[in-house]
Amino acid sequence: MHADPSSLRLFPPCHGVLADLQRCGWRPADQPSAPRLEFRTYQGVHEAQCAEVENPAGRRLLLIGLESVVLARDEDLFPRFLNLAIETRMALAYGVAASRADWLLLLTRDRIDLYRLPEETALQQATAAGDYDEGLLPELAALARTEVDALRLGSQHLRGADSLRGWIRHWALQLAYAVQLPPDQVEPVLWRWILMLQWVRRTERSEANGSWGLYCRAEGDRWAVGYDAQTAFADLTNALSRFDELFHSEMFRCDLELLLGRLNQIEETTLLDRLRAELLMHSQDRFEPETVAWLFTDLAREQEGWRREVSGVEPLRRRLHHQGWTIYRPLACDVERHGLTFALRETERLAHYLNNQMVYARQPESPSPATAQPDLFKPEIRGVGPTGHLDDPVNYLFEEALRLRGVEAESRFGVGLVFLLKALALGQEFDWPFFGVDTLDALFREAG
């Protein structure tokens, strides 16, 4: 009598995978004890095993054994333009919110997935014994031996943008039909929700605080991770109401009272429940500014930007004319000529430059900015506090230091959206305080 093939294990159980990790060179991480982890999913309540290991460089890998759960297959998610199951989102939320690991290894009933955190980039997947022995384990051994992520595969921005574009169009049509508004009025609303989701992720590290249905919390001697579908209407309408407090721009103006009234008409349906769940079923790297940029640019312009990058870019200090925090000539990026992603790289360079200036200005031995000669023609500098230090670097960057050229009026919404996402990303990267962005429109003023 032969065993049912579906009952045969393709991989070792969780403790076996943990032993294999240690043979690959990983060692148990310094932690009091492995927490008890409970996943509350549509498939029921599941106990998960959890362990952390680290390599000699101190970088950590989180192993979650959720072996009683069957994840949605990629071929089932693809027609809906998604790339994460909701259970995967829960595991990633725990990995980012509670463990601060660099990688997540998620073991479910018939597959193992390796993700890089916090970008949530899928690095490897094993669905057969050969995948595990010949593909995943050698790569995990490589990660254990080096400080550098051996699995960085390069840019996946264009592929992620194609999927996100399809999802946006799909939901713009669905929502437009439900609320009886044109799709071109509904699509900016979807982007408002995406920005609010990114604000929570970038400023609070994770959306698993209950404001997006996800929760990840300690309950007695265990951690509980789950998703509450019943709060979708309240959460999404609250996000819309708060949007203008954080992102004030003429480009994002809408009749909020009309919109909320139309959404009230579909409160009793499951439409907003499904929308919010699907928002979470995109990996974070699809919402990166460099990915979203591909929705609002073209290959010819981007190639010009790549050529300029390869030929060499003049040092920033020669192109940014300033004295102290007073900028007389901001850095100007020609989006029409060199593309949007080149402008993002320039913004990254500018942010590094400003951050270095901030760090230097706060050193005890540096000259006091408060004693600098004031510019009588520009007495107030946005983002600079009364002590003379840069207290609001994001709004300073947009108001004072950066300008975008060659952006037609009809293209400004998309370009502005990308730069709001970039502002959130830079704030997280440099640990800048985030007080909202109300200087987005200043990016399109004429550079001096």
Side-chain angles (χ1 to χ4, degrees):
M1 182 176 180
H2 297 285
D4 179 1
S6 63
S7 67
L8 298 177
R9 292 197 59 85
L10 297 174
F11 314 108
C14 189
H15 63 84
V17 173
L18 183 59
D20 287 341
L21 285 171
Q22 293 176 351
R23 281 193 290 271
C24 287
W26 296 88
R27 62 192 182 198
D30 182 18
Q31 56 181 351
S33 61
R36 295 179 61 192
L37 195 55
E38 183 178 272
F39 279 70
R40 299 166 183 173
T41 76
Y42 293 122
Q43 301 180 46
V45 178
H46 301 268
E47 291 282 345
Q49 294 179 282
C50 180
E52 285 192 32
V53 293
E54 64 180 10
N55 64 14
R59 304 189 71 191
R60 292 195 171 196
L61 182 145
L62 171 66
L63 170 64
I64 295 180
L66 199 57
E67 297 165 79
S68 57
V69 168
V70 178
L71 295 181
R73 297 174 301 175
D74 293 342
E75 52 266 33
D76 296 327
L77 295 171
F78 178 78
R80 296 156 59 196
F81 307 105
L82 307 172
N83 68 340
L84 293 180
I86 193 66
E87 295 86 1
T88 305
R89 165 56 61 204
M90 294 177 188
L92 290 166
Y94 175 81
V96 173
S99 78
R100 297 184 178 268
D102 298 286
W103 299 279
L104 167 69
L105 191 62
L106 178 61
L107 171 62
T108 50
R109 182 177 298 177
D110 56 359
R111 59 193 263 192
I112 304 181
D113 295 277
L114 176 65
Y115 294 92
R116 183 194 301 121
L117 300 176
E119 303 99 313
E120 302 174 352
T121 307
L123 300 176
Q124 288 281 334
Q125 183 183 100
T127 57
D131 299 338
Y132 178 75
D133 295 327
E134 301 170 14
L136 184 59
L137 285 181
E139 298 291 2
L140 288 169
L143 288 181
R145 292 193 302 268
T146 179
E147 297 183 17
V148 180
D149 190 339
L151 298 180
R152 288 197 176 271
L153 303 177
S155 174
Q156 301 293 312
H157 296 321
L158 189 54
R159 185 173 64 183
D162 285 340
S163 182
L164 184 58
R165 180 187 290 112
W167 185 85
I168 290 286
R169 289 175 177 172
H170 167 75
W171 270 102
L173 291 173
Q174 281 202 77
L175 203 56
Y177 178 79
V179 300
Q180 296 299 296
L181 288 173
D184 61 349
Q185 292 184 28
V186 172
E187 185 170 324
V189 178
L190 295 173
W191 286 114
R192 280 175 168 243
W193 279 321
I194 289 173
L195 280 165
M196 292 302 289
L197 176 60
Q198 295 313 295
W199 169 68
V200 172
R201 285 177 172 170
R202 299 291 193 179
T203 59
E204 299 183 15
R205 185 170 169 87
S206 170
E207 72 277 34
N209 58 4
S211 64
W212 286 85
L214 278 176
Y215 59 87
C216 178
R217 57 182 178 242
E219 295 183 353
D221 63 345
R222 71 179 63 197
W223 278 84
V225 186
Y227 176 74
D228 182 0
Q230 303 304 313
T231 63
F233 176 79
D235 291 345
L236 291 179
T237 52
N238 287 340
L240 288 180
S241 298
R242 291 205 62 192
F243 181 87
D244 289 331
E245 300 174 17
L246 296 168
F247 306 103
H248 180 73
S249 168
E250 291 298 313
M251 288 176 279
F252 281 86
R253 291 186 64 183
C254 75
D255 188 338
L256 184 59
E257 186 176 346
L258 170 65
L259 178 59
L260 292 177
R262 298 293 178 91
L263 291 176
N264 279 329
Q265 298 173 13
I266 61 172
E267 179 179 3
E268 300 301 323
T269 71
T270 62
L271 192 68
L272 294 181
D273 298 342
R274 291 190 288 112
L275 170 62
R276 187 185 62 172
E278 289 198 6
L279 263 171
L280 298 173
M281 293 166 71
H282 291 276
S283 57
Q284 172 63 15
D285 55 5
R286 290 187 175 182
F287 299 131
E288 294 296 322
E290 289 76 14
T291 302
V292 176
W294 281 100
L295 276 64
F296 304 103
T297 189
D298 61 66
L299 187 58
R301 289 176 180 173
E302 297 309 311
Q303 287 176 331
E304 286 300 317
W306 296 336
R307 291 190 185 98
R308 186 177 181 193
E309 194 80 38
V310 170
S311 65
V313 180
E314 191 177 14
L316 192 64
R317 63 182 180 274
R318 297 183 183 177
R319 294 179 288 147
L320 183 72
H321 294 184
H322 66 98
Q323 182 177 4
W325 294 122
T326 301
I327 294 189
Y328 297 99
R329 181 184 296 175
L331 179 68
C333 302
D334 193 330
V335 175
E336 181 180 21
R337 183 176 179 183
H338 299 120
L340 190 47
T341 59
F342 180 79
L344 291 174
R345 289 193 295 274
E346 287 279 77
T347 304
E348 184 88 20
R349 283 188 276 263
L350 178 57
H352 276 276
Y353 179 85
L354 294 177
N355 196 64
N356 290 340
Q357 297 291 317
M358 289 171 60
V359 172
Y360 172 72
R362 292 184 181 275
Q363 291 178 350
E365 65 274 13
S366 65
S368 173
T371 62
Q373 180 69 30
D375 187 334
L376 299 180
F377 295 98
K378 198 171 186 179
E380 295 184 3
I381 303 175
R382 181 58 194 277
V384 178
T387 62
H389 291 294
L390 191 55
D391 297 332
D392 187 356
V394 169
N395 281 303
Y396 176 84
L397 178 71
F398 284 5
E399 175 76 22
E400 308 286 345
L402 181 66
R403 293 291 179 268
L404 302 179
R405 293 174 175 166
V407 183
E408 301 296 332
E410 61 272 14
S411 302
R412 287 190 176 184
F413 175 85
V415 174
L417 166 69
V418 170
F419 272 83
L420 286 181
L421 290 168
K422 190 63 176 177
L424 289 167
L426 292 173
Q428 183 186 41
E429 179 181 354
F430 296 110
D431 197 24
W432 286 348
F434 186 81
F435 304 108
V437 179
D438 58 10
T439 54
L440 178 64
D441 300 327
L443 284 176
F444 303 98
R445 292 204 302 255
E446 285 297 320

